[in-house]
């Protein structure tokens, strides 16, 4: 049925016009809701803890150093009305641009308007660091500085129909204090669509 023409009664024309206006209003409201409220926002990532789980330093008969770090990052998804499901990933730990360790991060889903802890344990073996002359200076000062990074690739879903691919990047600067056997960290994150 066509809503235009001279032979259609005036009541049908008014009905078609009102229906068209209502459809346009619903589409505009849906687009505005998606762009403002439902659009996936950057989850807040904070380092809940970086712990020095173990440090093993042997001088004789062979110099060895093993540092085990426990990293727990809290992903706060309270700002989002959709869940964020991410794939398996890997945490990388660097010492002055030298890859010192890596550990897997298991795939998981962070529900809408919820918090979730992502944890990983990494073991840094000193054998990779010994050739760097700065390592011996840092070891002598009692502080070893590391950088960790992880990328979580996934999909944000709202109401099982609105799906957006997202990637979160998190980097942490970690200082390991050898004498007191503890660690501190500062992390930053960003989100890419």
């Amino acid at each position: 049925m066509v809503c235009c023409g001279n032979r259609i009664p005036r009541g049908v024309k008014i009905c078609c016009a009102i229906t068209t206006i209502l459809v346009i209003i619903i589409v505009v409201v849906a687009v505005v809701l998606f762009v403002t409220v439902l659009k996936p926002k950057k989850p807040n990532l904070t380092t809940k803890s970086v712990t020095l789980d173990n440090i093993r330093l042997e001088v004789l008969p062979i110099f060895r150093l093993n540092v085990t770090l426990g990293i727990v990052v809290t992903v706060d998804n309270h700002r989002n009305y959709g869940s964020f499901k991410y794939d398996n990933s890997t945490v990388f730990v660097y010492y002055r641009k030298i890859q010192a360790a890596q550990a897997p991060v298991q795939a998981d889903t962070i529900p809408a308007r919820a918090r979730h802890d992502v944890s990983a344990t990494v073991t840094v073996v000193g054998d990779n660091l010994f050739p760097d002359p700065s390592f011996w200076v840092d070891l002598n000062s009692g502080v070893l500085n590391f950088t960790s990074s992880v990328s979580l690739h996934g999909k944000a879903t709202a109401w099982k129909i609105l799906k957006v691919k997202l990637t979160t990047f998190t980097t942490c600067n970690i200082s390991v204090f050898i004498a007191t056997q503890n660690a501190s960290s500062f992390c930053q994150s960003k989100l890419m669509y």
Side-chain angles (χ1 to χ4, degrees), residues 47-53 67-74 86 89-93 101-106 116-123 148-150 152 174:
T47 302
K48 188 172 182 180
S49 66
V50 174
T51 57
L52 182 60
D53 292 345
V67 177
T68 304
L69 299 171
I71 302 171
V72 179
V73 176
T74 300
Y86 59 89
S89 187
T90 305
V91 174
F92 294 97
V93 176
Q102 67 183 44
V105 175
Q106 299 299 318
H116 185 74
D117 288 341
V118 178
S119 61
T121 301
V122 294
T123 300
S148 70
S149 66
V150 63
L152 299 179
I174 304 166

Side-chain angles (χ1 to χ4, degrees), residues 46-64:
T46 54
T47 302
K48 188 172 182 180
S49 66
V50 174
T51 57
L52 182 60
D53 292 345
N54 186 21
I55 186 165
R56 185 173 162 208
L57 180 62
E58 294 178 11
V59 180
L60 294 173
I62 299 171
F63 190 85
R64 291 182 188 196

Side-chain angles (χ1 to χ4, degrees), residues 7-8 13 20 30 36 43 74 76 78 81 118 123 148 164 170 176:
R7 298 186 181 174
I8 298 174
K13 287 182 183 180
T20 303
T36 58
T74 300
D76 189 347
H78 274 101
Y81 287 90
V118 178
T123 300
S148 70
V164 177
T170 304
V176 174

